Amino acid sequence: MCRNYRWKFAALLWTVLFCLALTACGNSQQSASDNASETEEADDTPEISTGITEEAPGDGPASRSVVEALNGVPMVTLNNGVQMPRLGLGTQIQRLEAGGPNDELTETSRQSVVAALEAGYRHLDTAHGYYNESGVGQGIIDSGVPREEIWITSKLWPSEFGEGVTMDAIDKMLNRLQTDYIDLLYLHHPVGDFVGAWKDLEKAYRQGKVRALGISNFDNWPEAYHAIVDDMEIKPQVLQIECHPFAQRQATRALAAENNIQIECWYPLGHADPEMLGNDVLEAIAAAHDKSVVQIILRWHMQEGFSAVPGSTNPAHIQENIDIFDFELTEAEMDQIRALDTEKRYFNLPYDQMESFFPLADGA
């Protein structure tokens, strides 16, 4: 009788152990299946290259920025991870810079900025050399749009270049603009102690006073370009150059692409050259899309991947310039515009004359 109970107990124990073994095996197989599934999903996900190579801006005032583009304006991620709207308002007003009173220049710039922000622009381009930063800063305040929602670009003049000198110039620029940080700050021209100036820009960047660093017109002097791009601790995020359908700057674009530097175009409309604005090819494309030639040119800039800052003081033209995101040029039309390239440029001032050009008063 005891032997019979011992046999039954052994059989029951063996059955329990067998079931436990089967359960463990099933769990192991399920775990392996889950892992395999996760691996397959990971393998199917393309690896995304951000192109981010530079250190991010330091914590500081600039970290408050929450810029987002409106009205379909595309954003670009710069090589430091910061995002910038690719279409902006240029505020250079040459007819006043040539000798008009500063109060008129300030008021004209203020009104242009207010009109642009009302039209949905969130990128403004100014410079100390334009004598209008105070007007731009006041326009931002008067618009009612929060500062942190706006991308402000400005430029330091060569008279402000040099270690220590440039840092002081940045603080004065912040006062003129009535802000405590700048989104993008350029060295305006490759003249003077631009290396010392760049070292101060790096300091301001790490202090969070500036979100992105740029060089303007450095394409005109390759040695200066390489002195900054190759030898400094932080590479530029943006290179601003003259660029439009008549001067498409292929070599410079290729050079910038090697270092993941965004191209931004000034004179995108060819300085309103009648030869460009009345071009037969551009007029035919404009008619096909029921758009103006100006809108076709700016749309071409966007589809080429540029940032562009067309200037205007006319509210109607400011609105027209941003109304370019409800249509698209065909590849054939893009090629037609690319074929207009003759490298015709409008700014040809010799660089040995730049240091005496636009000497800035301390309070300008």
Side-chain angles (χ1 to χ4, degrees), residues 1-15:
M1 187 75 172
C2 288
R3 287 196 299 271
N4 190 35
Y5 279 123
R6 283 197 296 270
W7 182 87
K8 289 181 177 180
F9 178 77
L12 178 61
L13 181 60
W14 183 89
T15 300

Coordinates of all heavy atoms in Angstrom, one line a residue, residues 1-15:
M1 N 0.8 -1.2 0.0 CA 0.0 0.0 0.0 C 0.9 1.3 0.0 O 0.7 2.2 -0.7 CB -0.9 0.0 1.2 CG -1.9 1.1 1.2 SD -3.3 0.7 0.1 CE -4.4 2.0 0.4
C2 N 1.9 1.2 0.9 CA 2.8 2.4 0.9 C 3.6 2.5 -0.4 O 3.8 3.7 -0.9 CB 3.8 2.2 2.1 SG 3.0 2.4 3.7
R3 N 3.9 1.4 -0.9 CA 4.7 1.5 -2.2 C 3.8 2.1 -3.3 O 4.2 2.9 -4.1 CB 5.1 0.1 -2.7 CG 6.3 -0.5 -1.9 CD 6.9 -1.6 -2.6 NE 6.0 -2.7 -2.8 CZ 5.8 -3.7 -1.9 NH1 6.5 -3.8 -0.7 NH2 4.9 -4.7 -2.1
N4 N 2.4 1.8 -3.3 CA 1.5 2.4 -4.2 C 1.4 3.9 -4.1 O 1.4 4.6 -5.1 CB 0.1 1.7 -4.1 CG -0.8 2.1 -5.2 OD1 -0.4 2.2 -6.3 ND2 -2.1 2.2 -4.9
Y5 N 1.3 4.4 -2.8 CA 1.3 5.8 -2.6 C 2.6 6.5 -3.1 O 2.6 7.6 -3.6 CB 1.0 6.2 -1.1 CG -0.4 6.0 -0.8 CD1 -0.8 5.2 0.3 CD2 -1.4 6.8 -1.4 CE1 -2.2 5.1 0.6 CE2 -2.7 6.7 -1.0 CZ -3.1 5.8 0.0 OH -4.4 5.7 0.3
R6 N 3.7 5.9 -2.8 CA 5.0 6.5 -3.2 C 5.1 6.6 -4.7 O 5.5 7.5 -5.3 CB 6.2 5.6 -2.7 CG 6.4 5.8 -1.2 CD 7.8 5.3 -0.8 NE 7.9 3.9 -1.0 CZ 7.6 3.0 0.0 NH1 7.2 3.4 1.2 NH2 7.7 1.7 -0.3
W7 N 4.5 5.5 -5.4 CA 4.5 5.6 -6.9 C 3.7 6.7 -7.4 O 4.0 7.4 -8.3 CB 4.1 4.2 -7.4 CG 4.1 4.2 -8.9 CD1 5.1 3.8 -9.7 CD2 3.0 4.5 -9.8 NE1 4.7 3.9 -11.0 CE2 3.4 4.3 -11.1 CE3 1.6 4.9 -9.5 CZ2 2.6 4.5 -12.2 CZ3 0.8 5.1 -10.6 CH2 1.3 4.9 -11.9
K8 N 2.5 6.8 -6.8 CA 1.5 7.9 -7.3 C 2.1 9.3 -7.0 O 2.0 10.2 -7.8 CB 0.2 7.8 -6.6 CG -0.6 6.6 -7.0 CD -2.0 6.6 -6.3 CE -2.8 5.4 -6.8 NZ -4.2 5.3 -6.1
F9 N 2.8 9.4 -5.8 CA 3.4 10.7 -5.5 C 4.5 11.1 -6.5 O 4.7 12.2 -6.9 CB 4.0 10.7 -4.0 CG 4.6 12.0 -3.7 CD1 3.9 13.1 -3.3 CD2 6.0 12.1 -3.6 CE1 4.5 14.3 -3.0 CE2 6.6 13.2 -3.3 CZ 5.9 14.3 -3.0
A10 N 5.3 10.1 -6.8 CA 6.4 10.3 -7.8 C 5.9 10.7 -9.1 O 6.5 11.5 -9.8 CB 7.3 9.0 -7.8
A11 N 4.8 10.0 -9.5 CA 4.2 10.3 -10.9 C 3.7 11.7 -10.9 O 3.9 12.5 -11.9 CB 3.1 9.3 -11.2
L12 N 3.0 12.1 -9.8 CA 2.5 13.5 -9.7 C 3.6 14.5 -9.7 O 3.5 15.5 -10.4 CB 1.7 13.6 -8.4 CG 1.0 15.0 -8.2 CD1 0.1 15.4 -9.3 CD2 0.3 15.1 -6.9
L13 N 4.7 14.3 -9.0 CA 5.8 15.2 -8.9 C 6.4 15.3 -10.3 O 6.8 16.4 -10.8 CB 6.8 14.7 -7.9 CG 8.1 15.6 -7.8 CD1 7.7 17.0 -7.3 CD2 9.1 14.9 -6.8
W14 N 6.6 14.2 -11.0 CA 7.2 14.2 -12.4 C 6.3 15.0 -13.3 O 6.8 15.8 -14.1 CB 7.3 12.8 -12.9 CG 8.0 12.7 -14.2 CD1 9.3 12.6 -14.5 CD2 7.3 12.7 -15.5 NE1 9.5 12.6 -15.8 CE2 8.3 12.6 -16.5 CE3 6.0 12.8 -15.9 CZ2 8.0 12.6 -17.8 CZ3 5.7 12.7 -17.2 CH2 6.7 12.7 -18.2
T15 N 5.0 14.9 -13.2 CA 4.1 15.6 -14.1 C 4.2 17.1 -13.8 O 4.2 17.9 -14.8 CB 2.6 15.2 -13.8 OG1 2.5 13.8 -14.1 CG2 1.6 15.9 -14.7

